[in-house]
Amino acid sequence: VTQQSSSFRDHIRDTFLEIDRVAIDRFGVFPSRVLLKDTQYGSLQAAAPELIQLAVFGFSVATYACRENHGWRPSVLVGHGVGEIIALVAGGAFSVSEGAAIVCERAAALERFAKGSGSMIALGTGAERADYLVQAAGAGQASVAAENSETRTVVAGSHAALDSIVRMAHALNIGVKRLAAPYPLHCEPLMRAAAAELAKRLDPLIGSALRIP
């Protein structure tokens, strides 16, 4: 266990050295100086959105590398949102530095085209029932963002649409929690401009062949 803990620390350090080189060029910050001095989740919530995205990316990639070095061999890698970038790096399509650059481009596109347009909430119900609330609030302004389980669904949308959904959820005795999300991630109508911008920014990027599907 001690050997594995030491190995994990080494992977964290080496991963964030690469991320730092990318982030200092893009944002003028060293993520490791912010993220590694205090890894309590509460402190990360108060960090800038780009640092939170780099934190998720860095710790996830380092954790995967550590597990792979200890013999873990998955059959397939899957990611949702920023997790897709993590899966592509873990699978060999991009290096850590390239992955960090993609995360930075994603953060820049979100900041420019999605900031202030909405947020996300968690509902204590299944996706089908959550979608009824979405339709009632206005399908063009909200959508189901993630189906976490049969009784847990994340919805993204405009602030007005989410306020409406929260009121309906309370009336129907459905548990609801507002998430500390600065963007309405995975709400296609509201994310369309950011997605187009990110596609344009990443167009010159050429990945390598995957080692793992």
Side-chain angles (χ1 to χ4, degrees), residues 36-180:
L36 300 184
K37 68 178 181 180
D38 183 357
T39 56
Q40 294 298 313
Y41 179 68
S43 66
L44 289 182
Q45 284 185 305
E50 63 269 17
L51 286 180
I52 295 175
Q53 294 176 58
L54 287 169
V56 172
F57 171 77
F59 285 117
S60 299
V61 168
T63 299
Y64 175 80
C66 185
R67 294 193 68 182
E68 188 178 73
N69 283 358
H70 285 87
W72 191 56
R73 293 293 184 272
S75 299
V76 64
L77 296 162
V78 180
H80 181 56
V82 73
E84 184 178 1
I85 305 170
I86 295 164
L88 287 168
V89 170
F94 302 107
S95 67
V96 171
S97 295
E98 290 171 330
I102 296 172
V103 172
C104 288
E105 296 290 6
R106 178 181 187 270
L110 288 171
E111 188 71 8
R112 181 178 178 186
F113 290 98
K115 185 177 182 180
S117 62
S119 187
M120 306 175 79
I121 58 174
L123 295 173
T125 189
E128 184 176 359
R129 197 177 188 199
D131 192 53
Y132 288 141
L133 301 183
V134 165
Q135 299 302 321
Q141 292 297 308
S143 64
V144 171
E147 300 176 40
N148 290 345
S149 75
E150 292 182 354
T151 58
R152 293 289 184 274
T153 306
V154 176
V155 169
S158 68
H159 296 297
L162 294 185
D163 287 344
S164 177
I165 292 171
V166 168
R167 289 193 295 270
M168 288 186 285
H170 286 159
L172 295 170
N173 292 318
I174 296 173
V176 58
K177 180 179 180 180
R178 293 185 183 270
L179 304 180

